[in-house]
Amino acid sequence: MDSFGAFDPFRPDPSRAVAASPDAGQPPTDEDSSGEQTRPPLELDLTDHFLIAMPSMLDPVFGGTVVYLCEHNHNGALGVVINKPTDMTMDVLFDRINLKLEIRPDTPDAMPELYRRPVMFGGPVQVERGFVLHSTSEKYSSTLQVTDDVALTTSKDVLEAVAHGNGPQRVLVTLGCSGWSPGQLEGEIGRNGWLTVKADPAIIFELPVEERFTAALALLGIDPVMLSGDAGRA
């Protein structure tokens, strides 16, 4: 199989959970997994929420971003940026990972809209890996079920289904993800780094990339001009 550049972002990988710490990208140990079952629920569980970067977020990676959180537990948090496009489109990605589209249009203008969508930069963790947010009509080999409507898959089979025309209709592909070690995200929220709001899948899958930040803020009744670096906490 042809690789994507010098790597294949959808090669098999048994690990899923990651954290933005010195051990970023390492899966949790069995001890962590078993301990998770005996711990009390988090006081703040932001799974299926948007993180909206505040003006005080001067980090060049996360400034101006909206992150969709797929998992938040005692091991940390995992999500993907949904509004930071790369210069690659889906059809180019399919070509580079050796997936042939079931229907190949005669001209670029006839390419279905799904295949012309940009691949996102999902975050600075595991940037060599591919992550697919999608609606949940089918189960795939390496899938985290986030809600009844949204799942995160890191296996190539979901894109094979899309290329063959029988995959999920709602798809967002990222290279890399965003991760936080235990307590790290809560600390950033406490320092006014992020606003948080329950996610709306339509913003992820239906809106143009440039409209997602404003639309996420609108869920809180906020206009971007109202924000300042000294705004209140989420």
Side-chain angles (χ1 to χ4, degrees), residues 35-100:
E36 182 70 27
Q37 299 175 3
T38 61
R39 293 174 180 173
L42 289 179
E43 293 183 9
L44 180 66
D45 183 355
L46 295 175
T47 302
D48 190 39
H49 280 62
F50 288 142
L51 302 178
I52 308 168
M54 292 286 284
S56 57
M57 180 70 71
L58 301 179
D59 187 300
V61 173
F62 288 115
T65 62
V66 179
V67 177
Y68 177 70
L69 273 189
C70 304
E71 189 172 49
H72 187 202
N73 56 35
H74 291 286
N75 294 322
L78 168 70
V80 292
V81 176
I82 66 167
N83 68 328
K84 197 166 186 178
T86 69
D87 58 1
M88 182 185 308
T89 53
M90 292 276 287
D91 61 313
V92 173
L93 174 63
F94 285 143
D95 184 62
R96 294 193 179 183
I97 62 176
N98 201 30
L99 284 181
K100 297 187 181 299

Side-chain angles (χ1 to χ4, degrees), residues 165-223:
N166 57 5
Q169 296 299 307
R170 299 175 126 192
V171 175
L172 181 141
V173 179
T174 77
L175 296 178
C177 67
S178 302
W180 292 263
S181 55
Q184 182 181 4
L185 178 58
E186 291 83 350
E188 292 180 6
I189 293 171
R191 294 189 295 273
N192 295 328
W194 302 97
L195 289 171
T196 66
V197 65
K198 185 73 171 177
D200 179 354
I203 293 175
I204 302 172
F205 299 116
E206 298 176 14
L207 286 186
V209 173
E210 62 275 11
E211 296 179 14
R212 293 173 188 170
F213 184 85
T214 300
L217 282 176
L219 296 175
L220 292 166
I222 296 175
D223 187 291

Side-chain angles (χ1 to χ4, degrees), residues 104-163:
R104 172 67 69 173
D106 295 331
T107 65
D109 291 341
M111 181 77 68
E113 189 272 336
L114 172 64
Y115 303 136
R116 290 185 279 112
R117 292 177 188 171
V119 174
M120 296 291 125
F121 169 75
V125 180
Q126 291 192 338
V127 293
E128 76 285 358
R129 301 289 306 155
F131 298 81
V132 184
L133 273 181
H134 58 89
S135 52
T136 57
S137 56
E138 300 289 341
K139 301 293 184 183
Y140 301 96
S141 14
S142 182
T143 296
L144 167 65
Q145 193 74 39
V146 183
T147 71
D148 290 341
D149 301 315
V150 179
L152 179 72
T153 293
T154 57
S155 50
K156 185 178 178 181
D157 48 355
V158 64
L159 291 185
E160 291 173 341
V162 171

